[in-house]
Amino acid sequence: MKTCAICFDSMKPGHGQALFTAECSHMFHFHCISSSVKHGNYVCPVCRAKWKEIPFNRSLSSIVPRGRSGLNVNQARLPQQDAYMALLRQVPTRQREAPALHTSEPVEFNDDEPLQLMEAADSCDVRSSKTVEMKTYSEFSAIPQSSSQDDFAVLIHLKAPCANPEQITSRPVNTTSVGYPTSRAPVDLVTLLDVSGSMAGTKLALLKRAMGFVIQHLGPSDRLSVIAFSSTARRLFHLRRMSHSGRQQALQAVNSLGAGGGTNIADALKKAAKVIEDRSYKNPVCSIILLSDGQDTYNISSNVRGTRPDYRSLVPSSILNQAVGIVPVHGFGFGADHDSDALHSIAEVSGGTFSFIEDEGVIQDAFAQCIGGLLSVVVQDMRLTVQCVHTGVQLRSIKSGSYLSKVAGDGRDGSIDVGHLYADEERDFLLSVSFPQSREQTILLKVAFSYRDPVTNECIKIQGDEVMILRPKSRTPEPVCMEVDRERNRVRAADSIEAARAAAERGVLSEAVAILEECRRVLLESFSSRNGDRLCMALDAELREMQERMASRQRYEASGRAYLLSGLSSHSWQRATTRGDSTDSSSLVYSYQTPSMVQMLQRSQNHCPSPQIPRPQIIVPTRSFIQKPQPR
């Protein structure tokens, strides 16, 4: 029996569904292939052949009207190379709001669709035999007996378990597969889409295509709710499972969007929080995606000289990072006119990331990288604890970026709230300890961590090895540990980016550029750089790019601020973000990408319908350049 390569349902003639046979002889449901085409996919999903006959559905007329010549695009034969841009050129610059969206909303959003039940027999199959890996590295393996240390560095390195094979397949999900839901933790995703007047035309068409990609790659156990916002926010549909019918209804709702009005981000976040708070059922993973191309003119007053707006007030208390049951908001600034400060602040206080989409054509790639991570969560509620062992050892500080860390008043223990990790994600935390002279081998720390498996809900506790150093009578020449030096460089770069941003916001761009220049000098003189470390090259390229975007106040306002903030977000959470349009593999910008993110990004780029839209190359994570040696 033939099955449709898009929805995987049968294609038996006479079953009430129109069939479409492409030029390459492959057959699909007409409504499946027309929906795919509407989202910019002009090649065969099976053999990747380029099509000349474009199978448009009649419903596309709501998005693409007749041209001035009277030719209906539904019957138009377009050259493959120009098909996508030809479609975008015929999107009107002004669109009226779809009347169907002005339906009244319920008082309570407890109308979410029930979760898909997993068969009990499957639960054993998803229990991973792998756990989070932890390694520790000391700045030096030995310190002379006569020496004491006030700022001795210890690095803790974590790596999450790898993804299940089903998570990194190169095809859209099979929504009819019973076994699929058990392969990973299902997601409740709420997307907040800016449809203000500035989104009209090409921007809105690109957003619809990107959302189509997201919808087509969510599984039958994942649930999606879409909130469109302009002057006010409205929920397009309740939290709905992305089954075959759910995906079709979601695509129809997104395709019906029109642009107009102002930008009210606070109202959108308020409605998203209500969707999450009121739901009757809960998937293990929950997240919000927020895309905006403008400034919130309803809730943020104009800047008073010397003060910054209270962006935190935009975020409902239920989704703040400190709240129980964290729900990260991943913000996407679209184009040159968005409020990067607001989006970065919203993401930061909720535990999410901020991405800068400078080139409109890469919006789908940005979404793809993000959901590649969200659909691969393997660790939740992770907490790392550190205890000093030797009586003279004290914990001085913990460099943990945006992750909440604490050091006890007596310096004898500390903790880091790591939260959730995507499959294969890595985290590095740099600790500073002090210890006295000693004639015996000194045990510095005991490290332990606990977390919850989101699929099985099992709580896992792991006691790591003790961190110790040798105490010889005299110093033996020994280079600093490469891993510790690399992490120091990464932390130093992140601190410099923050300092440069502060200087730029004070209006002193020359000082900001000088801060980054000094950091580049220190990095290049470091031990790891002198030994050809690729991370140092990556950081240097990133800082140089930031300096160039601070060449003038105009350039900083147009793209420099957003580029800095997306880089700062990436380093502070040690998680991949999209940064401008000039980040490619030749610049070696540190990306933190995971295999699941890379696979989803490749899928998105393979769906690129037109070579006229430039796409940055996929970045190879610099953490993979050097094989880490065994712990000392």
PDB file of all heavy atoms in Angstrom, residues 320-335:
ATOM      1  N   LEU A 320       8.889  33.550  35.476  1.00  0.00           N
ATOM      2  CA  LEU A 320      10.214  34.047  35.834  1.00  0.00           C
ATOM      3  C   LEU A 320      11.114  32.886  36.213  1.00  0.00           C
ATOM      4  O   LEU A 320      10.646  31.849  36.702  1.00  0.00           O
ATOM      5  CB  LEU A 320      10.124  35.027  37.004  1.00  0.00           C
ATOM      6  CG  LEU A 320       9.557  36.418  36.680  1.00  0.00           C
ATOM      7  CD1 LEU A 320       9.403  37.226  37.948  1.00  0.00           C
ATOM      8  CD2 LEU A 320      10.466  37.155  35.700  1.00  0.00           C
ATOM      9  N   ASN A 321      12.406  33.050  36.026  1.00  0.00           N
ATOM     10  CA  ASN A 321      13.373  31.975  36.271  1.00  0.00           C
ATOM     11  C   ASN A 321      13.331  31.473  37.714  1.00  0.00           C
ATOM     12  O   ASN A 321      13.561  30.304  37.983  1.00  0.00           O
ATOM     13  CB  ASN A 321      14.784  32.477  35.935  1.00  0.00           C
ATOM     14  CG  ASN A 321      15.786  31.349  35.826  1.00  0.00           C
ATOM     15  OD1 ASN A 321      15.410  30.174  35.801  1.00  0.00           O
ATOM     16  ND2 ASN A 321      17.052  31.685  35.766  1.00  0.00           N
ATOM     17  N   GLN A 322      13.014  32.362  38.657  1.00  0.00           N
ATOM     18  CA  GLN A 322      13.026  31.969  40.064  1.00  0.00           C
ATOM     19  C   GLN A 322      11.779  31.173  40.441  1.00  0.00           C
ATOM     20  O   GLN A 322      11.714  30.568  41.501  1.00  0.00           O
ATOM     21  CB  GLN A 322      13.128  33.214  40.967  1.00  0.00           C
ATOM     22  CG  GLN A 322      14.494  33.888  40.928  1.00  0.00           C
ATOM     23  CD  GLN A 322      14.655  34.786  39.714  1.00  0.00           C
ATOM     24  OE1 GLN A 322      13.776  34.853  38.871  1.00  0.00           O
ATOM     25  NE2 GLN A 322      15.798  35.469  39.631  1.00  0.00           N
ATOM     26  N   ALA A 323      10.750  31.194  39.587  1.00  0.00           N
ATOM     27  CA  ALA A 323       9.502  30.514  39.920  1.00  0.00           C
ATOM     28  C   ALA A 323       9.656  29.006  39.816  1.00  0.00           C
ATOM     29  O   ALA A 323      10.515  28.486  39.094  1.00  0.00           O
ATOM     30  CB  ALA A 323       8.381  30.980  38.988  1.00  0.00           C
ATOM     31  N   VAL A 324       8.816  28.278  40.535  1.00  0.00           N
ATOM     32  CA  VAL A 324       8.829  26.818  40.464  1.00  0.00           C
ATOM     33  C   VAL A 324       8.276  26.401  39.105  1.00  0.00           C
ATOM     34  O   VAL A 324       7.276  26.940  38.630  1.00  0.00           O
ATOM     35  CB  VAL A 324       7.960  26.213  41.587  1.00  0.00           C
ATOM     36  CG1 VAL A 324       7.916  24.706  41.457  1.00  0.00           C
ATOM     37  CG2 VAL A 324       8.502  26.630  42.948  1.00  0.00           C
ATOM     38  N   GLY A 325       8.893  25.411  38.467  1.00  0.00           N
ATOM     39  CA  GLY A 325       8.430  24.968  37.157  1.00  0.00           C
ATOM     40  C   GLY A 325       8.810  25.967  36.080  1.00  0.00           C
ATOM     41  O   GLY A 325       7.958  26.585  35.450  1.00  0.00           O
ATOM     42  N   ILE A 326      10.102  26.150  35.883  1.00  0.00           N
ATOM     43  CA  ILE A 326      10.620  27.160  34.958  1.00  0.00           C
ATOM     44  C   ILE A 326      10.101  26.944  33.540  1.00  0.00           C
ATOM     45  O   ILE A 326      10.050  25.818  33.043  1.00  0.00           O
ATOM     46  CB  ILE A 326      12.164  27.147  34.982  1.00  0.00           C
ATOM     47  CG1 ILE A 326      12.742  28.138  33.986  1.00  0.00           C
ATOM     48  CG2 ILE A 326      12.713  25.764  34.727  1.00  0.00           C
ATOM     49  CD1 ILE A 326      14.247  28.243  34.056  1.00  0.00           C
ATOM     50  N   VAL A 327       9.681  28.033  32.890  1.00  0.00           N
ATOM     51  CA  VAL A 327       9.242  28.009  31.500  1.00  0.00           C
ATOM     52  C   VAL A 327      10.075  29.037  30.741  1.00  0.00           C
ATOM     53  O   VAL A 327       9.798  30.237  30.809  1.00  0.00           O
ATOM     54  CB  VAL A 327       7.736  28.339  31.369  1.00  0.00           C
ATOM     55  CG1 VAL A 327       7.317  28.288  29.903  1.00  0.00           C
ATOM     56  CG2 VAL A 327       6.899  27.380  32.195  1.00  0.00           C
ATOM     57  N   PRO A 328      11.124  28.620  30.046  1.00  0.00           N
ATOM     58  CA  PRO A 328      11.985  29.584  29.366  1.00  0.00           C
ATOM     59  C   PRO A 328      11.289  30.239  28.181  1.00  0.00           C
ATOM     60  O   PRO A 328      10.524  29.600  27.455  1.00  0.00           O
ATOM     61  CB  PRO A 328      13.175  28.732  28.901  1.00  0.00           C
ATOM     62  CG  PRO A 328      12.629  27.342  28.788  1.00  0.00           C
ATOM     63  CD  PRO A 328      11.584  27.227  29.863  1.00  0.00           C
ATOM     64  N   VAL A 329      11.548  31.532  28.004  1.00  0.00           N
ATOM     65  CA  VAL A 329      11.081  32.264  26.830  1.00  0.00           C
ATOM     66  C   VAL A 329      12.284  32.479  25.925  1.00  0.00           C
ATOM     67  O   VAL A 329      13.240  33.168  26.308  1.00  0.00           O
ATOM     68  CB  VAL A 329      10.472  33.629  27.212  1.00  0.00           C
ATOM     69  CG1 VAL A 329      10.020  34.374  25.954  1.00  0.00           C
ATOM     70  CG2 VAL A 329       9.310  33.441  28.175  1.00  0.00           C
ATOM     71  N   HIS A 330      12.256  31.884  24.749  1.00  0.00           N
ATOM     72  CA  HIS A 330      13.341  32.059  23.780  1.00  0.00           C
ATOM     73  C   HIS A 330      12.939  33.183  22.830  1.00  0.00           C
ATOM     74  O   HIS A 330      11.996  33.042  22.041  1.00  0.00           O
ATOM     75  CB  HIS A 330      13.608  30.760  23.028  1.00  0.00           C
ATOM     76  CG  HIS A 330      14.074  29.647  23.905  1.00  0.00           C
ATOM     77  ND1 HIS A 330      15.346  29.614  24.446  1.00  0.00           N
ATOM     78  CD2 HIS A 330      13.443  28.544  24.381  1.00  0.00           C
ATOM     79  CE1 HIS A 330      15.486  28.541  25.193  1.00  0.00           C
ATOM     80  NE2 HIS A 330      14.349  27.883  25.183  1.00  0.00           N
ATOM     81  N   GLY A 331      13.634  34.323  22.955  1.00  0.00           N
ATOM     82  CA  GLY A 331      13.283  35.505  22.180  1.00  0.00           C
ATOM     83  C   GLY A 331      14.038  35.577  20.865  1.00  0.00           C
ATOM     84  O   GLY A 331      15.220  35.233  20.781  1.00  0.00           O
ATOM     85  N   PHE A 332      13.342  36.051  19.822  1.00  0.00           N
ATOM     86  CA  PHE A 332      13.936  36.215  18.495  1.00  0.00           C
ATOM     87  C   PHE A 332      13.667  37.639  18.022  1.00  0.00           C
ATOM     88  O   PHE A 332      12.517  38.032  17.817  1.00  0.00           O
ATOM     89  CB  PHE A 332      13.341  35.213  17.498  1.00  0.00           C
ATOM     90  CG  PHE A 332      13.707  33.793  17.784  1.00  0.00           C
ATOM     91  CD1 PHE A 332      12.984  33.045  18.710  1.00  0.00           C
ATOM     92  CD2 PHE A 332      14.792  33.192  17.156  1.00  0.00           C
ATOM     93  CE1 PHE A 332      13.326  31.728  18.998  1.00  0.00           C
ATOM     94  CE2 PHE A 332      15.143  31.876  17.437  1.00  0.00           C
ATOM     95  CZ  PHE A 332      14.412  31.147  18.360  1.00  0.00           C
ATOM     96  N   GLY A 333      14.733  38.420  17.876  1.00  0.00           N
ATOM     97  CA  GLY A 333      14.624  39.770  17.349  1.00  0.00           C
ATOM     98  C   GLY A 333      14.743  39.731  15.842  1.00  0.00           C
ATOM     99  O   GLY A 333      15.750  39.262  15.301  1.00  0.00           O
ATOM    100  N   PHE A 334      13.726  40.222  15.142  1.00  0.00           N
ATOM    101  CA  PHE A 334      13.606  40.064  13.693  1.00  0.00           C
ATOM    102  C   PHE A 334      13.869  41.412  13.018  1.00  0.00           C
ATOM    103  O   PHE A 334      13.105  42.360  13.203  1.00  0.00           O
ATOM    104  CB  PHE A 334      12.190  39.560  13.387  1.00  0.00           C
ATOM    105  CG  PHE A 334      11.998  38.993  12.015  1.00  0.00           C
ATOM    106  CD1 PHE A 334      13.057  38.492  11.278  1.00  0.00           C
ATOM    107  CD2 PHE A 334      10.733  38.940  11.456  1.00  0.00           C
ATOM    108  CE1 PHE A 334      12.862  37.946  10.021  1.00  0.00           C
ATOM    109  CE2 PHE A 334      10.519  38.404  10.198  1.00  0.00           C
ATOM    110  CZ  PHE A 334      11.588  37.905   9.481  1.00  0.00           C
ATOM    111  N   GLY A 335      14.967  41.506  12.258  1.00  0.00           N
ATOM    112  CA  GLY A 335      15.257  42.733  11.539  1.00  0.00           C
ATOM    113  C   GLY A 335      15.955  43.776  12.396  1.00  0.00           C
ATOM    114  O   GLY A 335      16.350  43.528  13.532  1.00  0.00           O
TER     115      GLY A 335
END
